[in-house]
Amino acid sequence: MEISMEKPIDEVIVLDNIIDLSLKKTPKIAVSNVKVWYDDFQAIKGIDMEIKPNTVTAFIGPSGCGKSTFLRLFNRMNDYVDSFKMEGKIKIDSKNIYKKKINVEELRKEVGMVFQKPNPFPKSIFENVAYGLKIQGIKDKKFIKERVESSLKQVALWNEVKDNLNKSGLALSGGQQQRLCIARTLAVEPSIILMDEPTSALDPISTAKIEELIFELKKKYTIVIVTHNMQQASRISDYTAFFYLGALIEFDKTKTIFTNPSKEQTENYITGRFG
Amino acid sequence: MNSIQKNRLKDQAFKYWGICCTCMGLALLIIFIGDILIDGIQRIDWGFITSLPSRKPEKSGIYTALMGSIWILFFTTIIAFPIGVAAGIYLEEYGKKNKLAGILEINISNLAGVPSIIYGLLGLEVFVRIMNLGASVLAGSLTLSLLILPIVIVATRESIKAVPSSIKDASYALGASKWQTIWYQILPASSGGILTGVILALSRAVGETAPLIVVGALAYVPFAPESPMDEFSVLPIQIFNWISRPQHGFIENAAAAIIILLFITFMMNGIAVYFRNKWQSKWK
Ligand SMILES: Nc1ncnc2c1ncn2[C@@H]1O[C@H](COP(=O)(O)OP(=O)(O)OP(=O)(O)O)[C@@H](O)[C@H]1O
Ligand SMILES: [Mg+2]
């Protein structure tokens, strides 16, 4: 490793210990031998993966390799696709989320999702953020107000909208809309946030803001993000998973993936030499 | 002449042909409305609207028929609106997308095109005879509800389909149940379209004559209905009846009643257009 060249030996040992310790922590998400089909087409070909709490994991890979399909397994959003079939186990906090008894609505309160295209509801900014609480049957107005405010503050949108909370969410700019969507997800206080190319429809400044935000959110949440932007993956993620044709080719610390990948396919992809 | 010029010529020819057709349609409509207006407008006054039918044309009014139409409209709305919208929601959101659903879908669209007299015969057998409702407002409303249900169902489904799936995804991803998603997101977003469809369907129902004649709506009913079980007449039947009389006075009455019926339909269509525009602007 590069680090060992520059740092005294004992520091390296300490560093390794910390990494070891974090490895021993129970995984937030544990995937074992998962396969997915759409009708006869196999989109995911037997994947194992463990995602640790309070980390950012980036999913990269060429278009159509199954990143979104795999991500949407974690909050069971694929259930709405009629042709979807799945095999294998996914455990979140040691609970198999594909067991019959699982309450999907409860699961989604734990596992929030931000989509590629900002999709605020055609309702006011306030109602957008309060929606998740409303559907849980929470009526306490003061509580809702505080949660809306704190969520909007977390995404650094509060100062921009605090005087216009009754304005339509659709009247915001694209970047603001996406931050509103993140705030809406945070208001439910999930422990995992899934993001499917959350910045691909945004300009560089909005993108930078969201990346900063992800860095902040890591302290409280486990984040899994799909991205086509290699710089973004290397900037914000701790771990990176490279997918190709429905298979997980390589999964490692982001640093390793980007400096010293063990598979040639990974290297070709991240250096842009992919055929 | 090269092919671009040829295409341009074809383009122009088609454009003028289109303008021609439109003008012809409009001209016919204007002539028709103008003719009716000339015949009937001076006959319309408060007395005409509030008088009961009579053997003398100058004393006759549309009160019973107008009230009958309003009663019919009211009951048709409260029967067809909830059933049609519920069926639309079910088919779009709950029904499995299989072969059976496909057949059902085609059949519902076909039902919208069945001649209305067939619905009259069905109503006569089922509501008047089997359910023993007689020639009542209720029997008439049920029959007209059958007639407009397919339209309401199709309109509901189309409006629900037009709601972007990203909205549904967002709602589900926040932990909303299917019903919550339908109630809080899909229905508010599609209500404009659904209302438009329902109003257009109702404005068709106000003008329907054949099925009500079959069900037994009488041309001569001396009093306005006071309960759903009363006999009734409606405007189009009153018009039909007056037109078939020899005296010129009744022709004038018919023209005046037509003006009022047209006014009601145009109003309803106007409201429908208003809702549609309001609804469309929401998504821009
Ligand atoms: N609803 C669906 N029905 C049928 N096939 C699907 C469906 N969704 C995805 N697929 C197929 O599954 C494969 C993986 O799709 P997926 O959307 O997961 O790819 P992706 O890696 O997210 O691609 P992108 O980077 O373009 O978003 C693709 O071949 C796609 O055609
Ligand atoms: Mg994708």
Side-chain angles (χ1 to χ4, degrees):
Chain A
M1 274 209 301
E2 282 167 80
I3 311 167
S4 58
M5 308 299 281
E6 299 154 11
K7 306 219 164 153
I9 288 293
D10 50 328
E11 226 185 298
V12 172
I13 292 167
V14 172
L15 207 80
D16 277 350
N17 277 342
I18 293 172
I19 289 167
D20 265 323
L21 269 176
S22 77
L23 276 174
K24 274 179 200 134
K25 259 202 243 174
T26 43
K28 186 74 189 167
I29 307 174
V31 182
S32 53
N33 198 19
V34 160
K35 296 170 185 158
V36 171
W37 290 264
Y38 293 114
D39 286 324
D40 295 336
F41 172 73
Q42 186 168 7
I44 300 288
K45 294 171 181 157
I47 290 184
D48 297 279
M49 183 187 277
E50 285 191 353
I51 293 173
K52 293 175 190 60
N54 298 86
T55 57
V56 177
T57 303
F59 287 0
I60 60 170
S63 195
C65 67
K67 305 177 296 294
S68 299
T69 301
F70 193 61
L71 186 77
R72 292 160 70 94
L73 288 173
F74 299 159
N75 63 345
R76 295 192 49 171
M77 284 299 278
N78 289 328
D79 292 14
Y80 298 108
V81 179
D82 287 331
S83 60
F84 168 77
K85 263 195 324 259
M86 177 216 167
E87 252 176 35
K89 253 192 211 149
I90 296 181
K91 285 186 174 173
I92 290 182
D93 292 325
S94 315
K95 238 172 50 195
N96 184 355
I97 59 166
Y98 279 88
K99 266 212 308 253
K100 276 240 163 66
K101 271 185 285 175
I102 282 288
N103 179 334
V104 181
E105 282 96 50
E106 288 296 326
L107 169 73
R108 294 194 184 127
K109 283 166 201 161
E110 237 358 80
V111 187
M113 183 164 217
V114 177
F115 298 83
Q116 176 172 7
K117 231 181 101 218
N119 55 353
F121 300 124
K123 297 179 188 291
S124 75
I125 293 172
F126 186 90
E127 283 176 286
N128 261 283
V129 185
Y131 183 68
L133 303 172
K134 178 167 145 188
I135 55 176
Q136 290 180 28
I138 295 172
K139 298 247 159 63
D140 184 346
K141 288 229 172 77
K142 193 165 150 259
F143 175 83
I144 294 177
K145 246 187 180 154
E146 283 168 5
R147 189 65 79 69
V148 168
E149 182 175 339
S150 70
S151 307
L152 287 169
K153 276 180 176 160
Q154 280 187 77
V155 300
L157 196 59
W158 178 249
N159 284 331
E160 290 159 61
V161 302
K162 65 173 179 231
D163 301 319
N164 292 314
L165 288 178
N166 289 321
K167 210 166 81 170
S168 165
L170 291 170
L172 298 171
S173 77
Q176 287 175 324
Q177 285 188 10
Q178 194 63 306
R179 277 183 286 152
L180 177 66
C181 292
I182 298 177
R184 178 173 74 182
T185 306
L186 298 182
V188 208
E189 299 203 320
S191 61
I192 299 173
I193 301 176
L194 310 173
M195 300 183 164
D196 196 348
E197 302 183 44
T199 61
S200 66
L202 306 183
D203 66 288
I205 294 173
S206 307
T207 301
K209 275 190 183 157
I210 295 210
E211 287 183 10
E212 241 170 74
L213 176 62
I214 291 172
F215 205 78
E216 276 302 306
L217 293 176
K218 192 168 89 171
K219 293 172 194 153
K220 281 174 71 184
Y221 306 91
T222 306
I223 296 170
V224 187
I225 177 171
V226 174
T227 178
H228 278 285
N229 181 332
M230 292 306 113
Q231 280 90 25
Q232 182 169 69
S234 67
R235 270 196 305 265
I236 61 173
S237 69
D238 306 304
Y239 293 87
T240 297
F242 171 63
F243 294 80
Y244 184 58
L245 295 179
L248 178 62
I249 305 297
E250 195 169 351
F251 177 49
D252 211 326
K253 275 177 235 121
T254 298
K255 196 155 187 204
T256 315
I257 294 274
F258 280 91
T259 55
N260 192 17
S262 53
K263 298 268 166 53
E264 206 188 325
Q265 273 172 314
T266 317
E267 186 166 358
N268 286 344
Y269 182 72
I270 57 176
T271 53
R273 256 179 296 161
F274 212 81
Chain B
M1 203 161 59
N2 64 30
S3 71
I4 295 177
Q5 280 169 324
K6 237 189 230 161
N7 277 337
R8 205 167 283 159
L9 202 74
K10 268 191 209 157
D11 231 28
Q12 288 292 321
F14 193 75
K15 186 172 128 195
Y16 287 115
W17 171 243
I19 291 175
C20 226
C21 292
T22 313
C23 287
M24 211 140 81
L26 273 179
L28 280 173
L29 191 68
I30 289 169
I31 291 169
F32 166 71
I33 291 179
D35 190 44
I36 296 280
L37 279 176
I38 292 167
D39 278 352
I41 195 82
Q42 82 282 2
R43 184 67 186 83
I44 295 178
D45 53 23
W46 193 240
F48 181 66
I49 292 172
T50 55
S51 295
L52 300 174
S54 147
R55 235 165 301 158
K56 295 195 187 109
E58 358 29 284
K59 275 198 183 159
S60 259
I62 55 166
Y63 184 70
T64 50
L66 185 63
M67 282 301 138
S69 278
I70 291 172
W71 273 80
I72 286 280
L73 207 54
F74 175 76
F75 280 98
T76 306
T77 310
I78 61 172
I79 295 164
F81 180 67
I83 297 178
V85 172
I89 293 172
Y90 174 79
L91 289 173
E92 202 50 44
E93 292 294 325
Y94 289 91
K96 291 237 162 62
K97 305 271 181 289
N98 51 25
K99 245 200 187 131
L100 192 75
I103 294 172
L104 206 64
E105 181 162 359
I106 294 172
N107 271 310
I108 289 177
S109 306
N110 278 342
L111 279 179
V114 169
S116 57
I117 195 151
I118 308 285
Y119 285 99
L121 292 171
L122 183 67
L124 176 67
E125 190 55 33
V126 176
F127 304 128
V128 178
R129 295 200 181 134
I130 296 178
M131 287 170 69
N132 212 5
L133 295 174
S136 63
V137 169
L138 194 58
S141 304
L142 284 166
T143 307
L144 285 185
S145 297
L146 279 186
L147 177 79
I148 66 167
L149 262 178
I151 312 176
V152 176
I153 294 173
V154 170
T156 303
R157 297 190 64 178
E158 292 305 318
S159 323
I160 289 179
K161 253 189 220 150
V163 177
S165 65
S166 63
I167 298 291
K168 290 189 222 172
D169 285 348
S171 176
Y172 286 132
L174 285 166
S177 64
K178 191 160 207 164
W179 175 244
Q180 285 173 324
T181 302
I182 291 172
W183 187 250
Y184 290 125
Q185 301 297 345
I186 297 177
L187 280 183
S190 56
S191 58
I194 294 175
L195 275 180
T196 309
V198 171
I199 295 170
L200 288 179
L202 286 172
S203 90
R204 174 169 173 203
V206 211
E208 275 301 337
T209 325
L212 292 181
I213 290 181
V214 176
V215 169
L218 297 174
Y220 182 76
V221 182
F223 301 107
E226 275 161 1
S227 90
M229 296 315 291
D230 286 352
E231 293 186 330
F232 67 100
S233 179
V234 289
L235 279 174
I237 292 180
Q238 181 74 74
I239 292 165
F240 177 72
N241 175 260
W242 274 338
I243 285 176
S244 52
R245 303 277 193 97
Q247 297 102 309
H248 183 72
F250 281 120
I251 303 292
E252 258 175 33
N253 282 359
I258 288 172
I259 294 172
I260 287 171
L261 185 58
L262 276 178
F263 178 75
I264 294 173
T265 346
F266 284 167
M267 281 291 287
M268 290 174 79
N269 289 358
I271 296 169
V273 169
Y274 169 78
F275 276 123
R276 187 168 53 205
N277 289 346
K278 209 173 124 185
W279 178 60
Q280 276 171 347
S281 64
K282 206 171 173 181
W283 295 105
K284 276 170 195 156

